[in-house]
Amino acid sequence: MTVTIVRTRTPSGEAIVILPEAEFERLRELAEDALDAKLVDESAARLEAGADELLSEADLDALRAAPSPLAFWRERRGLTVAALAKAGGVPEARIATLERNEATAEPALYERLAGALDVDVEDIRPEAA
């Protein structure tokens, strides 16, 4: 199939290409497919390097059942409330209130806790209401 492509310039001198919409959509889909493939490859590399981990269906059920993502990840990592509180530089009671979703913390504390749990901060920070 031959595609007619027109090369021209805008009034300001910028080079542009005019092509049929179907061809544009085909190229856009190819670009999206290439980006998806790149993301899959990057994800596989992170898993292989141990930078990411997969959760099983049972893990996901436990995450959903936990009082908070923070509680799930603390328990998954085998840490006590005391150990996580020490890593975060806060009293144990503060961790307990965060785990029960009775309070939220400043971003810096979530960063410290995420570091101690070896997770991304988005994995433990409560979702915005």
Side-chain angles (χ1 to χ4, degrees):
M1 172 171 121
T2 304
V3 176
T4 302
I5 298 174
V6 177
R7 296 174 190 275
T8 188
R9 294 200 174 271
T10 65
S12 65
E14 178 184 10
I16 62 170
V17 176
I18 301 171
L19 62 150
E21 185 175 8
E23 181 64 8
F24 169 79
E25 290 300 330
R26 186 185 74 79
L27 293 172
R28 187 177 59 76
E29 287 176 16
L30 286 172
E32 287 177 0
D33 291 348
L35 178 59
D36 289 345
K38 179 182 175 195
L39 293 174
V40 167
D41 290 345
E42 289 172 352
S43 181
R46 285 192 310 272
L47 283 170
E48 182 72 26
D52 281 349
E53 66 185 280
L54 293 177
L55 295 179
S56 68
E57 190 66 33
D59 293 330
L60 293 173
D61 289 342
L63 176 58
R64 287 187 284 271
S68 67
L70 179 63
F72 168 80
W73 285 107
R74 180 187 57 75
E75 290 177 10
R76 181 170 173 87
R77 296 297 191 242
L79 292 176
T80 63
V81 170
L84 187 57
K86 183 176 181 181
V90 295
E92 291 178 37
R94 181 78 168 123
I95 298 297
T97 59
L98 293 174
E99 286 192 355
R100 291 190 306 264
N101 285 318
E102 294 174 352
T104 58
E106 63 280 1
L109 176 55
Y110 285 118
E111 290 285 342
R112 292 193 306 271
L113 297 175
L117 295 168
D118 193 26
V119 297
D120 292 334
V121 71
E122 293 80 18
D123 293 333
I124 62 166
R125 190 173 32 218
E127 293 184 23

